[in-house]
Amino acid sequence: MISAGIDVGTRFVKACIVRDGEVLGWASQDVSRDIDRVIAGAYKKALDQAGIKKRQVKRLASTGYGAKLVKKTSFTMSSDHCAAKGAFALDPTIRTVLDCGGLFISVTAIDEKGVFERALSNDKCAAGSGKFLEMSAQAIEIPFSSISQYAEQSKEPYVISSNCAVFAESEVITQVNHGRKNTDIIAGVLHSIAGRAATLFERIQAQDNVALGGGLAAVPAFADRFEQMTERKTVSLPMPPQNLGAFGAALMAQQGKPFKEGSRRK
């Protein structure tokens, strides 16, 4: 059976097409003002990559911050559950998923059968998100793709003191105006975000093995700092990390029933 999952995040919409557990295609698209067009575009790209017509998809599930914006979906589902489902399907040894997105960071624990146990998320106002990293990189004119390269050159990372994203951004701009090195600023921002992720990790008493999902997982310097802080190694997944939630949603759609936290769409 062919199913699809659409993950509507704060920065990207991701779509995944699955047939009997096998990934046929996936796609992602930047969020813009016309969210309906973005959702339709990401879904179409994933269908085209899979070589599948929309009418062939038997069930569609949505997840993420804007899950309810997806029309004609069979189910809306918890992003934590979807990330857990997707990660375990890719690697049954995984017991924890650290999902680092544009606005939220969440840690999800799963058992040896791949069943969701518990999850913990950061305060969405905290300066511990992909969006904060993106804003900081823009403020110091560093391409997002070069963040790790710049951070690794830092000799004295700047310590971010504010827990509020608005004040932290102002703090970064102040340091730029005072002539602090861009390498030290971006390294400090990464350290701050990784520290908040590590705190969540310890609070939930997470276990090995650990999978990273979300856009921040694609920044090697972030993963390195998280591993140093927690003294844990993360598992590389055979899929772009930001597509993990959409993949999990597609898998759950194949089962024909939502999580107990999900709701049937009318």
Side-chain angles (χ1 to χ4, degrees):
M1 185 186 76
I2 298 173
S3 62
I6 297 179
D7 179 3
V8 183
T10 58
R11 289 289 291 112
F12 295 92
V13 173
K14 291 80 65 177
C16 186
I17 312 300
V18 170
R19 176 167 53 201
D20 299 328
E22 177 188 1
V23 177
L24 301 180
W26 60 57
S28 66
Q29 198 157 315
D30 288 19
V31 167
S32 67
R33 187 170 299 178
D34 189 352
I35 190 64
D36 289 339
R37 181 184 61 81
V38 174
I39 292 171
Y43 190 23
K44 185 179 185 304
K45 285 182 180 179
L47 288 168
D48 290 346
Q49 187 185 93
I52 297 296
K53 300 295 183 183
K54 187 184 293 187
R55 63 177 180 272
Q56 294 177 267
V57 177
K58 301 304 180 183
R59 294 194 185 100
L60 169 65
S62 62
T63 189
Y65 186 75
K68 293 183 179 180
L69 298 175
V70 180
K71 297 180 174 65
K72 298 182 180 180
T73 182
S74 302
F75 309 111
T76 57
M77 301 179 177
S78 156
S79 56
D80 295 323
H81 286 76
C82 290
K85 181 69 175 180
F88 189 82
L90 294 171
D91 185 343
T93 70
I94 289 171
R95 295 294 174 267
T96 305
V97 181
L98 175 64
D99 191 4
C100 313
L103 189 59
F104 302 99
I105 291 180
S106 65
V107 182
T108 302
I110 55 180
D111 67 15
E112 67 279 359
K113 295 181 180 179
V115 177
F116 170 93
E117 289 189 325
R118 59 194 181 278
L120 190 63
S121 297
N122 68 324
D123 182 343
K124 67 180 180 180
C125 292
S129 66
K131 181 61 177 176
F132 176 52
L133 179 61
E134 184 179 35
M135 290 189 302
S136 299
Q138 290 174 349
I140 57 181
E141 300 181 346
I142 290 178
F144 195 85
S145 59
S146 301
I147 285 175
S148 292
Q149 177 185 344
Y150 276 80
E152 295 306 327
Q153 297 175 35
S154 174
K155 302 298 183 183
E156 192 176 348
Y158 173 70
V159 178
I160 305 292
S161 60
S162 178
N163 289 328
C164 170
V166 175
F167 292 131
E169 182 184 9
S170 177
E171 191 176 340
V172 166
I173 294 172
T174 298
Q175 293 305 310
V176 172
N177 294 336
H178 286 174
R180 189 176 291 272
K181 291 181 179 179
N182 289 353
T183 53
D184 291 340
I185 293 174
I186 203 66
V189 171
L190 277 172
H191 187 86
S192 175
I193 299 172
R196 286 169 171 78
T199 297
L200 289 174
F201 188 87
E202 296 302 329
R203 284 176 58 191
I204 205 171
Q205 299 181 327
Q207 305 297 316
D208 291 334
N209 290 330
V210 184
L212 295 184
L216 270 176
V219 180
F222 169 78
D224 290 344
R225 279 158 178 74
F226 173 77
E227 290 180 347
Q228 291 168 9
M229 290 176 177
T230 59
E231 297 183 346
R232 306 289 183 93
K233 286 293 184 181
T234 57
V235 177
S236 296
L237 298 176
M239 172 181 286
Q242 67 180 163
N243 289 336
L244 193 58
F247 174 53
L251 292 177
M252 290 305 301
Q254 288 203 331
Q255 294 184 0
K257 58 182 180 180
F259 295 116
K260 61 182 180 181
E261 287 82 0
S263 60
R264 186 77 184 188
R265 294 295 295 272
K266 299 298 184 182

